[in-house]
Amino acid sequence: MKFLKLIPILFIFLGNHPYEKLVYAGSENPNSYRVLSSSNKKLSIANVEFYLEKGDDFIKKGKLDKAKDSFLDARKLAKQLASFYSDLNSAFKGTDARIPIEMQSKGKATLQILAETNKRLAALYIKNEKPEVAVPLLIETIRIMSPDSSEGKEAYESLVQLGFVETEYKG
């Protein structure tokens, strides 16, 4: 029995320290844990822009189906981002004014890129002789950007050219 009591003492003297390589909570770079704030962003406007550029490259190569898929990915991500920013904006109203201001700013930028995505996707559908698919995208652009914005005016002009509407917008 006395021998068993000596085992822990032997471990202490012989240097078997199982807790030597513990990970401590501190970090020299606190931003290393902010995964989405790095340049390799998955859930960001930069990634939406990447999909748009990829789609443009596919169009230059004549691969319209791949371009459409890339534009659809960009649109899906932009809509998700807009929804997330809107939800956060609503959740923090009345508690901390700084957060809704940031979310509103990011939401506007996301809607801007969503309008650009819709524009490119609608042009692709029109080129593929599917204007019935392009019309909802153009209407969504007008709804999210307003008819007075440059994007809204372009979208409405496309609707006029397609024959979906007849009245010219003078705004």
Side-chain angles (χ1 to χ4, degrees), residues 65-93:
D65 286 338
K66 288 187 177 185
K68 180 186 78 163
D69 292 340
S70 185
F71 290 153
L72 286 172
D73 289 341
R75 184 171 185 272
K76 179 182 174 186
L77 181 57
K79 286 186 81 141
Q80 285 178 333
L81 286 171
S83 175
F84 295 155
Y85 291 140
S86 176
D87 290 346
L88 283 172
N89 185 1
S90 298
F92 281 94
K93 276 195 175 164

Side-chain angles (χ1 to χ4, degrees), residues 24-75:
Y24 295 102
S27 174
E28 293 176 18
N29 183 6
N31 289 332
S32 65
Y33 292 106
R34 298 179 70 185
V35 177
L36 295 176
S37 68
S38 68
S39 60
N40 185 13
K41 302 174 183 178
K42 299 273 187 210
L43 196 59
S44 69
I45 293 174
N47 204 30
V48 176
E49 291 170 346
F50 170 76
Y51 284 128
L52 290 177
E53 290 170 9
K54 196 169 142 182
D56 291 341
D57 289 342
F58 284 133
I59 287 177
K60 288 177 186 173
K61 295 176 184 176
K63 299 177 180 179
L64 299 181
D65 286 338
K66 288 187 177 185
K68 180 186 78 163
D69 292 340
S70 185
F71 290 153
L72 286 172
D73 289 341
R75 184 171 185 272

